[in-house]
Amino acid sequence: MILKRIASLSLALFLILLPFLVLSPTVFAVGNTCVWSGAVSNLWSNSGNWSTCGGTTPGAGDIVEFPISASNKPNSNDLVGLNLERIVFFGQDYVVTGNAITISPTITTVMQFVNTSGNNDYAIDTTINGGSLSISQDDGSGINAISGDLNFNSMTGDMNFYNYDPGSLVISGNRTGSSTNVNYYGNINLSGTGTNTYTGGINVTNASGRTNSSALTVSSLTALGAGNPNINVNSTSTSPVGINFFTAGSYSNNINLVGSDFAPELSSNGNVTLSGNVSANSDLSFIKPQSGTLTLSGGLNVNQDLEIEMSPSTNLTKSGASPIAIANNTTLSINSLGSYPGPTITVSSAITGSSSAAVNVSGETFLNLNASSNSYDGTFTANNNAIIRPLANTALGTTVGSTTINNSSVLWLSGSYVIPENITVTGTGRPSGAYSGGAIWSQLPVGASSTEVSGTITLNGNTTFAMDDPGSAAPDDELILSGPITGSGNLTLLRVQGTNSTRFNFLQTSPNTYSGKTILQGSTLDLNGGAQTIPNDIDINSTPTQSASLGLSSNDDIADDTELPLYDYTTHGTFQ
């Protein structure tokens, strides 16, 4: 009876464990450590090529090592169905090819490149079984490559790639299967032309103990796997971390920039399109196009401060239905490196954000704002030669916020629209070259006859508004200023090119209050608002190429004691 009960219990236990015995990957006890000598040939099946391998060739559960000194460093696995514990490279200049193998480690390490000052290439297709596992490059200046395919099979945890070296660990083989996440630590280069079908999230960060910057370089359109996995770029407390899209084309992953002490970076080379959402969730994050045009067609979520740093000869486009969403008390900075002509940034998507949000543009940067409906309540600021060009009525957002054009920068008006924005402005625009001479610059395209600013303009010192009709537009271009002009300093109205019908038009219905005088520099000014729109004296200055003209529509357009000196330089000034 007791024997029958024991047999019955044993059978029941066997039936319970049977699914796991059938479905679980085979795990072997750790066997021999087989060190390659290559003394006889380049084939793994010759026992004479191995030392400390029990007098035979590698088998199930063995560790395979490639030492510093050996013969036949290019070698080939001609064994079939080999299932190893792990593979370790101590030497350099190995090229390992041959039949596919399986690695089922009893610890977390699958493969190591240790103290390798040269290069190695592991070109065997490999299936990896287990939980959370790792491949690492340790303590050497070499560039090691894994060009064989990797299949993450029955993995219940993360697959980790570590690079503790200043050099790069190159992964160019196809990756298939699945894991919870694929984590890249240190400088990793994903290349190859195959179709990577693995699924799982992607995390990019630095290897423990490293203090210099590191990045995941994406050198293949298919390198990031199937299913468009989300990518987290995590800067550490000791160093910045980035992701670099090095191959032109389109990527549809959502990218999350995370960090605290150091800023995470997203960079691109060539014409790259990112159609997923890009989110800045660090104290400061960077987007850095290095060459070509970076197109962001998904959402740009500025949850914490983000700086877009433009290299010379690069451009950036933000398109698509998803907006640039700027969180409260957060700044989006756009800066340009280099001299004129600088990068062009074109934003055709809407911008959203509260009154505590800010967009700051600096350097030789040309910012086009094309969206026809922006609910953005924050501010725009231009500094250090930057140009902001609104191309729709509400391109600068709602009237809750304001725009500031600081000395040497320009607000370029170039379309038939009405800008309700409140604007603070100073200076004469760019110091030299294109768009120099006016802090507010009006140059209309063919088919456009006027641009109007209906918000309040505040002068923050002597300021010049300029109109330029180079002959390509209609001859009656008009800059209408219907909002009040306040502040301090002289206001100069300059006509760069054009006829007398290329003119400024003051349509204010209440008096302007700026403290300085008004100077017509080869320009035409019509006063049609019926209010005292010229608060102080006015100079009417013709130039050698442009006449100046002032037109009044009522007795109240100027103060009774206004002085009206006319200066004639070949062309005649007029007072009508």
Side-chain angles (χ1 to χ4, degrees):
M1 178 67 70
I2 294 175
L3 291 176
K4 287 183 179 180
R5 182 171 298 175
I6 293 173
S8 178
L9 290 173
S10 299
L11 177 59
L13 181 61
F14 175 77
L15 292 173
I16 291 172
L17 295 176
L18 180 59
F20 298 95
L21 295 173
V22 172
L23 298 176
S24 298
T26 303
V27 178
F28 300 95
V30 178
N32 298 314
T33 297
C34 301
V35 179
W36 177 261
S37 67
V40 178
S41 69
N42 70 337
L43 298 178
W44 286 25
S45 61
N46 192 315
S47 61
N49 290 324
W50 301 96
S51 62
T52 65
C53 197
T56 183
T57 59
D62 286 350
I63 299 170
V64 168
E65 294 183 353
F66 296 98
I68 295 174
S69 298
S71 300
N72 289 303
K73 287 190 171 181
N75 57 71
S76 178
N77 171 35
D78 57 335
L79 301 172
V80 177
L82 189 58
N83 195 331
L84 299 176
E85 166 73 16
R86 65 178 175 272
I87 296 176
V88 184
F89 289 84
F90 291 100
Q92 62 192 42
D93 302 324
Y94 284 95
V95 179
V96 180
T97 61
N99 294 332
I101 67 171
T102 298
I103 298 179
S104 304
T106 58
I107 59 174
T108 61
T109 302
V110 173
M111 186 181 304
Q112 288 177 285
F113 299 90
V114 181
N115 293 318
T116 55
S117 58
N119 303 332
N120 294 294
D121 183 7
Y122 177 78
I124 294 178
D125 295 346
T126 303
T127 295
I128 299 171
N129 295 324
S132 292
L133 303 175
S134 67
I135 294 175
S136 65
Q137 175 172 284
D138 308 324
D139 305 325
S141 58
I143 297 178
N144 296 291
I146 301 174
S147 60
D149 295 346
L150 299 177
N151 176 28
F152 309 142
N153 180 51
S154 302
M155 289 189 63
T156 57
D158 291 353
M159 184 67 219
N160 303 292
F161 293 89
Y162 292 92
N163 181 12
Y164 296 94
D165 304 335
S168 183
L169 174 61
V170 179
I171 305 169
S172 59
N174 292 340
R175 276 135 284 142
T176 60
S178 64
S179 61
T180 303
N181 291 297
V182 179
N183 303 321
Y184 298 101
Y185 298 82
N187 288 322
I188 309 287
N189 188 326
L190 300 182
S191 60
T193 58
T195 55
N196 294 291
T197 60
Y198 74 87
T199 57
I202 295 176
N203 294 307
V204 182
T205 189
N206 215 340
S208 177
R210 283 179 55 88
T211 57
N212 56 318
S213 61
S214 64
L216 175 68
T217 299
V218 182
S219 299
S220 165
L221 292 176
T222 60
L224 295 171
N228 306 319
N230 294 331
I231 301 173
N232 294 309
V233 182
N234 304 285
S235 279
T236 66
S237 60
T238 58
S239 61
V241 172
I243 182 168
N244 178 17
F245 292 89
F246 204 77
T247 296
S250 182
Y251 304 84
S252 51
N253 308 81
N254 294 326
I255 301 170
N256 185 26
L257 302 174
V258 185
S260 53
D261 296 337
F262 287 89
E265 299 180 3
L266 185 160
S267 61
S268 62
N269 287 265
N271 296 327
V272 171
T273 296
L274 302 179
S275 60
N277 295 328
V278 176
S279 300
N281 289 305
S282 173
D283 292 343
L284 175 64
S285 302
F286 285 98
I287 294 177
K288 296 182 177 181
Q290 303 296 309
S291 64
T293 297
L294 173 61
T295 299
L296 305 175
S297 59
L300 179 59
N301 301 313
V302 188
N303 299 321
Q304 293 183 269
D305 290 350
L306 171 65
E307 181 172 328
I308 299 176
E309 185 178 280
M310 304 294 296
S311 296
S313 302
T314 60
N315 297 299
L316 185 143
T317 298
K318 173 63 184 78
S319 60
S322 298
I324 298 176
I326 305 175
N328 294 341
N329 302 307
T330 299
T331 299
L332 170 62
S333 300
I334 304 173
N335 298 321
S336 173
L337 307 176
S339 58
Y340 183 87
T344 296
I345 295 93
T346 300
V347 179
S348 57
S349 302
I351 303 175
T352 64
S354 71
S355 59
S356 64
V359 177
N360 296 335
V361 187
S362 183
E364 296 286 356
T365 304
F366 202 136
L367 175 61
N368 289 315
L369 298 171
N370 294 349
S372 59
S373 179
N374 278 336
S375 61
Y376 177 64
D377 290 337
T379 62
F380 283 94
T381 303
N383 296 292
N384 301 324
N385 303 351
I387 299 171
I388 297 179
R389 183 189 185 195
L391 290 164
N393 292 355
T394 58
L396 294 170
T398 71
T399 56
V400 173
S402 62
T403 293
T404 299
I405 306 298
N406 287 318
N407 195 26
S408 80
S409 296
V410 175
L411 178 66
W412 180 18
L413 307 176
S414 62
S416 294
Y417 42 69
V418 178
I419 302 292
E421 186 86 347
N422 296 322
I423 301 168
T424 298
V425 61
T426 185
T428 59
R430 290 173 39 78
S432 62
Y435 311 105
S436 61
I440 292 181
W441 185 283
S442 177
Q443 185 183 59
L444 302 184
V446 174
S449 60
S450 66
T451 295
E452 180 176 348
V453 178
S454 62
T456 298
I457 297 177
T458 301
L459 308 183
N460 193 19
N462 294 339
T463 302
T464 299
F465 298 169
M467 290 195 69
D468 183 16
D469 180 0
S472 60
D476 57 349
D477 291 355
E478 185 177 39
L479 174 57
I480 300 171
L481 303 174
S482 58
I485 304 175
T486 67
S488 61
N490 298 332
L491 174 59
T492 298
L493 304 178
L494 169 68
R495 180 166 55 218
V496 179
Q497 300 178 81
T499 66
N500 285 350
S501 57
T502 302
R503 64 194 182 277
F504 296 88
N505 192 345
F506 280 10
L507 281 180
Q508 294 91 353
T509 56
S510 59
N512 290 324
T513 59
Y514 56 94
S515 64
K517 64 181 178 180
T518 304
I519 303 169
L520 305 187
Q521 194 68 22
S523 61
T524 297
L525 171 62
D526 290 342
L527 307 179
N528 291 306
Q532 185 175 310
T533 51
I534 302 296
N536 301 296
D537 295 344
I538 179 168
D539 293 348
I540 304 175
N541 301 335
S542 292
T543 70
T545 58
Q546 301 283 345
S547 64
S549 176
L550 174 65
L552 280 67
S553 62
S554 76
N555 294 331
D556 296 326
D557 286 336
I558 60 177
D560 293 339
D561 58 352
T562 296
E563 294 186 2
L564 294 166
L566 284 84
Y567 299 93
D568 185 3
Y569 295 93
T570 305
T571 55
H572 300 296
T574 61
F575 171 56
Q576 302 172 341

